[in-house]
């Protein structure tokens, strides 16, 4: 399953996207509305680690598939937008199924 750079990028992207939504939708409200800063500390740390893995996976896929710098930048930009990794995942899934690179 995780034998290809695109498969690894998709998995890490989905995990990173979920962690970002948990950080924004659960941990931040717990911090500011319920006075529980520990939630942001734990979820923030996990999200940060997943973000670093996502950047590494994006760079690995870019090198392996000889994608353009613009495509790499699009992948990185998507990672900082809520739901961005899920949009990118759909494109990567189509590419993995067809073997044809979509336009960035």
């Amino acid at each position: 399953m995780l034998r290809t750079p695109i498969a690894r990028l998709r998995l890490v992207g989905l995990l990173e996207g979920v962690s970002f939504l948990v950080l924004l939708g659960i941990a931040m409200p717990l911090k500011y509305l319920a006075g529980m800063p520990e939630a942001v500390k734990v979820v923030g740390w996990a999200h940060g680690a997943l973000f670093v893995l996502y950047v590494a996976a994006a760079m690995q896929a870019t090198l392996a598939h000889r994608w353009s710098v613009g495509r790499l930048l699009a992948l990185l930009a998507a990672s900082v937008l809520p739901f961005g990794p899920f949009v990118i995942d759909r494109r990567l899934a189509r590419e993995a199924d067809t073997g044809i690179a979509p336009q960035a």
Side-chain angles (χ1 to χ4, degrees):
M1 178 182 162
L2 299 178
R3 294 182 181 176
T4 67
I6 291 177
R8 286 187 289 274
L9 177 60
R10 290 185 63 207
L11 175 64
V12 175
L14 291 174
L15 293 173
E16 191 270 340
V18 168
S19 74
F20 190 38
L21 293 177
V22 169
L23 180 64
L24 294 176
I26 297 173
M28 295 292 283
L30 284 174
K31 177 180 180 177
Y32 291 109
L33 300 176
M36 297 176 58
E38 304 84 22
V40 169
K41 184 176 183 178
V42 172
V43 176
W45 185 91
H47 171 66
L50 287 167
F51 178 76
V52 170
L53 288 175
Y54 180 82
V55 170
M59 290 173 52
Q60 180 189 34
T62 298
L63 292 173
H65 293 280
R66 296 183 179 175
W67 291 338
S68 68
V69 173
R71 180 132 190 233
L72 174 62
L73 292 176
L75 289 169
L76 298 177
S79 73
V80 298
L81 298 172
F83 302 102
F86 306 111
V87 172
I88 292 295
D89 181 66
R90 289 189 66 178
R91 290 183 180 192
L92 292 173
R94 274 188 255 136
E95 179 176 340
D97 290 343
T98 63
I100 299 170
Q103 298 298 319

